[in-house]
Structures are given as structure tokens and as C-alpha cells.
Amino acid sequence: MLEIDALTAGYGEIRVLERVSLDVAEGSITALVGSNGAGKTTLMRAVAGLVPVSGGRIALEGADLASAAPSERVERGLALVPEGRLIFPGFSVEENLRIGAIAPHAKAGRAARMAEMYALFPILEQRRRQPGGTLSGGEQQMLAIARGLMSRPRLLLLDEPSLGLAPAIAQSLFDTIVAIRGAGVTVFVVEQDIRSTLEIADTAYVLENGRIALSGTAAALLQDPQVRQAYLGL
Amino acid sequence: MADLLSGQLLIAALVLAGIYGLVALGLNLIYGTMRLLNVAHGEILMLGGYLAYWCFTLTGVGPIWSMFLALVLAGGFGAVVYRTLCRRVLRSARLIEQIEANSLLVLFGVSIILQNAIALSFTATARAYPYLDDIVRIGGFQVTADRLVVLGIGLALCFAVILFFRFSGTGLAIRALIEQPDAAHLVGVDVERMRTIAFALGFGIAGVAGCLISMLEQVSPFMGFPFTIAAFIVIILGGLGNIAGGLAGAAVLALIEVYGVALTSASMRSILIYGVFIAILVWRPQGLFGRRSVVR
């Protein structure tokens, strides 16, 4: 689905990612974990086209994304739910969902998809006329995910979806991620809650200082002594 | 003091509010979506004024019709200015402050060139044409028909723009770009296209405003600058990037200007306007209606 090959990227002179390679298989939940500052968010933003790439290749379903503007990447079926959510605070919940379907291919069936989103997150329907900025953190995260799904993505990128959420809400969020994959959307997730993420993921990569340090099936990484010691505190 | 309650003053204030609202709208759109300070905005209005003047003088076509031509021509000019000049400013700047400073210089240049090009072509003489200047009586007061027409068109256009931003997909996308540029990229807003539309719409509306003003005032190559200043004050009053707030800001500034001048004298006009400008910057830099913006 998504192939990243020897990707090098950063901001100005600062290189954040050093020849990172990874694959996200169609229909999978693939996780990228690592400590703060490892470069996870930079990788996500590079895939979405918000950070310039200085070397390597990013391909979606075999097609190179190098020259594609962010809006073209959405058009090709990629959606990023960014770290910090970045919902539109002055827009109503419903307007946030409408703008989620602004890409030309997403216009058809918009009303039906909005109804699906309200079924997936009933609290959003209750709050549909409220400005997005007045929602709680958990509700804003739901809104950000729903907005991403409104563009009819085949690949959904989630950047730190559980950040700042209460544990019970975070847990239901992981259940939601499983449900989204169940609906046929491939999920690539970056998380700092490494245990919960490895429990729902199929494949996982560990990013350290801009390089892939470890990779394998999520189940194997959960058992890996190095991961257990460095990231799970066991 | 009885004069203050007269219909004439109220109409004058409303007419001015409508014009300020239109001029500020375009400035606000362009600043809100791109952080470009379009100091040439008043010159677009001036070009609209000349277009209306020549259309009427040479062919007898009134500003009610030539304003459609102004909308299209000024709008097209806006798209060209964006594609040729402003896109480079956006690409070369790394910080928002650089965008503001660089665009100020580039567009100041555009403003001077336009003023002098028009002065060279048509001389610096102020020009006017007689149009719809018969007096209409409504209730107890009298008003010239042109003012009523300007008021009606101005209000209708403001209303249309509000509806456009509230309900159309393009309007929603432009608002998204104003509110949260990063997220607008992410959800798939075609940013280049929206920026071009914002420029075309902003310039087009300024051109129409110029046609309307030419019905009431003389046109001259240097008529634009006071409107640029007024428009900046209006959008600071209403909150930068806040479209509806800008219209309210226009009403506030027009009321202060018209009633302030009536209470004192015409020579106080500039003092009043700049006084409001400075007072707002000092006490409510987030605008009359804005929340205090988060410093990032």
C-alpha cells in the first residue's frame, strides 16, 4: 500500500530522518513507535507532503508521490490525522466534516458518509452545531479522525491519536482504530502508548534517532527483550 | 444638534459603511489566506472608478452595468498579480513576518506604478460625471438617488459574499485556509487554486467598489490611498481574517467618521480615523470582536 524507501527528510539544515525504509501492507494496521524526538511526526508529515523530502522515495500503491501536492495525495486516497488534531476551531462539527470531504473524489456520497461518522461517533452528532474548539480533547480527536475518514481514504495515517486523552477514552480509541481497519481502510499509526499500539497492530517499526532500529510483527516486538526494557519498562 | 438626527447623515454613514465593507473585504481575504499586505488595494478601487468614468463618458453606459466589467477585469488582474508577483513572495519567504514585510514592499511598488500610469494616461485632474443625481424623498428626508443605489448594491454584495462563505464549498475551503492553513492542506484543499480565487475575488470586489464610489465622488489617480488606510483600520477593528467582523468594523468606522465630522469639522476626518486606528492597536489589537489570539 505504502512503500517508503531510504527516506531522508528534515527542516532546513537539520536532518530528522536518515534513510528510513518501511512498508505498510494493504489491510494492515502498521505501527511506528519510538520515543519523543525520534522523527515519527516528521515521517508522517513527509508522507502527507507537508515536509520536504531530500532523498529517497515514497510510493502509494506503486505510484511515486514525490511531485504530488498535499491535496493531490488526499485525492489519491491518503489522509493524515495530525498530531494535535488541528481541527478547525471556529467551524461547527458539521462544517469540519464537510471540509473533510473537500477533495473532488470525496464529494460523491458525502451525506451518507457523514451519517456513518455520526454512527461511529454518536457524540459528534449531538454536538454537530457546536464550534469544534468547544469540544473536549477526546471529542476533538474523534472529530479529527472522522474528518480524515470523510475524504474516503484507502490509507489513514494517525499521528499520536491517544496523546492527552484519559486512559478509558484512549482505550476506546484503539477499539475504534480496529473498527476502521475492519471497514477496509489500511491504518498506519504513530504512537507513544507503545503497549496498546502493539496489541492492535499487525506489523511494527521502532524508530530511534531518525533510523529504523527494529521491525517485525507486533506480537514479536511485544516479546522482544530490548523493546520490553527500553519502551515498556519491564 | 438636530442635524445629527437627520436621515441624510444616517444614509451617508450607511453608504460609507457599505463601501468600507466592500473594500476591506478583499484586503481581509488576501491577508487572511496568505498574510500578504495588499497596500495596492485602494489603487484597484481607483482603476474601477476610472473604468466607470470612461464607460459613462465615452459610451453612456452607467456604473450599474460597468461594475460587472470591473468585477471581471479587476478579478482577472488579481489572479495575474498573484500568479506573477505574490506567489514568488510566498515561496521566497520562510517566516510569516517576511511575507508581510516583503509583500508590503512589492505591493507598494505596484501601487505607485498604478497611480503614475493612470496620472500619465489621463492626467492628475479629478474627474466626475453626472449620474442619477435627482433627489428622492423618503418620509421626511431627501437623498440623491445615486446614494440609494450605492447603498443597495453595497449591502446586496456584502450579503452575497457572506452567503458565499457560509454555504459554498469554495467559501468553506477559503475559510479553512484562513483558520488553520496546515489543516487545510491536509484535508485536501487545493491551496493554489483557493489563493488565486481569493485574489480574484478581493480585487474584483474592490473594482466594483470603485465603480460605486465614482457615482458619489470625483475620481483621481491618488484617490485610492485613503481607502487603503480605511480598509486596514476596518479589518483591525473587525479582527484580521474575520470576514463578518470586518463588515461590523466597517459600520463602526463609518459611523465614527460621519458623525465625528458632523460634530466637529471636515478637517478632523483624518485625525478621527487615525485616532481610531491607534486606539484599537493599543487597547484591543485582537479587534473589537476577536478573541485574544494564541501566540504560537
Side-chain angles (χ1 to χ4, degrees):
Chain A
M1 186 83 191
L2 179 73
E3 294 156 45
I4 298 178
D5 188 29
L7 177 70
T8 301
Y11 304 90
E13 298 290 295
I14 307 156
R15 276 196 188 176
V16 181
L17 299 173
E18 250 338 310
R19 299 183 62 80
V20 170
S21 297
L22 59 81
D23 278 311
V24 176
E26 184 159 5
S28 71
I29 296 179
T30 301
L32 179 69
V33 298
S35 51
N36 277 337
K40 303 185 301 280
T41 293
T42 305
L43 180 88
M44 287 301 208
R45 293 176 74 85
V47 173
L50 297 178
V51 167
V53 166
S54 48
R57 178 169 182 269
I58 303 173
L60 183 67
E61 294 179 316
D64 196 343
L65 287 181
S67 60
S71 62
E72 289 167 50
R73 298 180 195 214
V74 176
E75 188 62 32
R76 292 198 204 169
L78 187 143
L80 168 61
V81 178
E83 185 183 10
R85 302 156 198 143
L86 295 187
I87 58 151
F88 298 98
F91 283 24
S92 69
V93 166
E94 190 144 321
E95 283 178 327
N96 268 284
L97 295 181
R98 261 179 72 201
I99 193 84
I102 196 82
H105 80 281
K107 293 232 165 79
R110 191 175 72 182
R113 238 166 314 123
M114 205 180 279
E116 282 171 35
M117 291 305 121
Y118 287 147
L120 187 62
F121 303 111
I123 187 75
L124 293 183
E125 183 161 31
Q126 285 177 35
R127 306 216 187 286
R128 64 198 191 96
R129 298 201 183 283
Q130 237 170 278
T134 64
L135 303 187
S136 73
E139 290 162 1
Q140 289 193 10
Q141 189 62 56
M142 291 175 204
L143 180 57
I145 292 174
R147 183 183 69 185
L149 290 172
M150 283 301 288
S151 71
R152 264 173 70 189
R154 289 190 298 282
L155 172 62
L156 185 68
L157 310 177
L158 297 168
D159 192 358
E160 304 275 13
S162 82
L163 194 69
L165 301 187
I169 296 172
Q171 195 47 56
S172 77
L173 185 94
F174 286 109
D175 296 341
T176 306
I177 295 174
V178 174
I180 290 169
R181 188 261 301 267
V185 180
T186 306
V187 176
F188 182 31
V189 58
V190 155
E191 257 291 337
Q192 34 88 44
D193 181 347
I194 291 168
R195 178 190 298 273
S196 307
T197 309
L198 291 182
E199 277 168 2
I200 61 161
D202 305 305
T203 310
Y205 293 83
V206 179
L207 192 66
E208 276 176 9
N209 299 321
R211 295 164 196 271
I212 299 289
L214 274 174
S215 65
T217 65
L221 286 180
L222 259 179
Q223 298 308 320
D224 186 281
Q226 210 182 326
V227 173
R228 287 168 75 87
Q229 195 198 352
Y231 295 103
L232 301 175
L234 297 173
Chain B
M1 288 303 279
D3 286 355
L4 279 185
L5 300 174
S6 75
Q8 266 92 339
L9 273 188
L10 186 63
I11 293 276
L14 288 174
V15 166
L16 195 62
I19 286 171
Y20 281 170
L22 290 179
V23 181
L25 195 74
L27 198 68
N28 215 354
L29 259 180
I30 290 167
Y31 181 79
T33 48
M34 286 157 272
R35 297 295 181 264
L36 293 169
L37 288 167
N38 182 20
V39 283
H41 210 67
E43 275 60 52
I44 308 308
L45 174 147
M46 178 267 292
L47 292 177
Y50 269 92
L51 182 83
Y53 172 81
W54 286 114
C55 276
F56 186 80
T57 316
L58 296 178
T59 67
V61 172
I64 292 182
W65 304 109
S66 58
M67 71 181 197
F68 291 101
L69 188 61
L71 184 71
V72 172
L73 290 181
F77 183 57
V80 169
V81 167
Y82 172 67
R83 297 264 160 164
T84 54
L85 290 175
C86 293
R87 192 152 63 175
R88 285 165 204 268
V89 171
L90 288 174
R91 285 196 182 147
S92 66
R94 292 203 169 170
L95 300 170
I96 284 179
E97 290 73 16
Q98 273 178 329
I99 294 178
E100 291 175 347
N102 293 353
S103 66
L104 188 78
L105 292 174
V106 167
L107 291 161
F108 187 65
V110 171
S111 143
I112 299 291
I113 290 170
L114 290 176
Q115 283 177 13
N116 287 289
I118 293 296
L120 266 178
S121 314
F122 306 129
T123 75
T125 317
R127 296 158 187 271
Y129 56 96
Y131 184 73
L132 287 181
D133 47 5
D134 4 83
I135 289 169
V136 181
R137 288 172 187 279
I138 307 173
F141 59 87
Q142 307 172 341
V143 60
T144 49
D146 51 4
R147 285 185 189 275
L148 288 181
V149 170
V150 170
L151 181 61
I153 293 174
L155 289 181
L157 200 51
C158 287
F159 192 62
V161 167
I162 287 180
L163 290 181
F164 169 76
F165 279 104
R166 182 130 191 84
F167 295 110
S168 76
T170 304
L172 192 71
I174 291 177
R175 274 163 60 210
L177 207 52
I178 293 174
E179 256 209 38
Q180 192 73 269
D182 255 11
H185 279 91
L186 278 183
V187 298
V189 168
D190 186 341
V191 175
E192 277 300 307
R193 188 161 157 260
M194 292 310 147
R195 286 172 168 170
T196 309
I197 292 175
F199 252 91
L201 204 58
F203 275 42
I205 293 172
V208 171
C211 292
L212 296 178
I213 290 163
S214 76
M215 294 165 66
L216 309 176
E217 287 182 17
Q218 295 180 318
V219 296
S220 82
F222 309 105
M223 68 186 285
F225 186 68
F227 285 100
T228 304
I229 293 297
F232 271 107
I233 298 171
V234 163
I235 66 174
I236 289 165
L237 276 168
L240 292 169
N242 181 345
I243 306 282
L247 296 177
V252 171
L253 184 69
L255 286 171
I256 292 175
E257 183 179 330
V258 169
Y259 284 93
V261 167
L263 278 171
T264 56
S265 74
S267 52
M268 286 291 286
R269 183 183 170 272
S270 296
I271 296 175
L272 277 168
I273 287 196
Y274 286 96
V276 171
F277 195 9
I278 291 165
I280 280 291
L281 286 178
V282 170
W283 284 296
R284 278 194 75 84
Q286 73 275 35
L288 287 181
F289 320 100
R291 299 176 297 262
R292 219 166 252 284
S293 62
V294 184
V295 179
R296 284 171 205 274

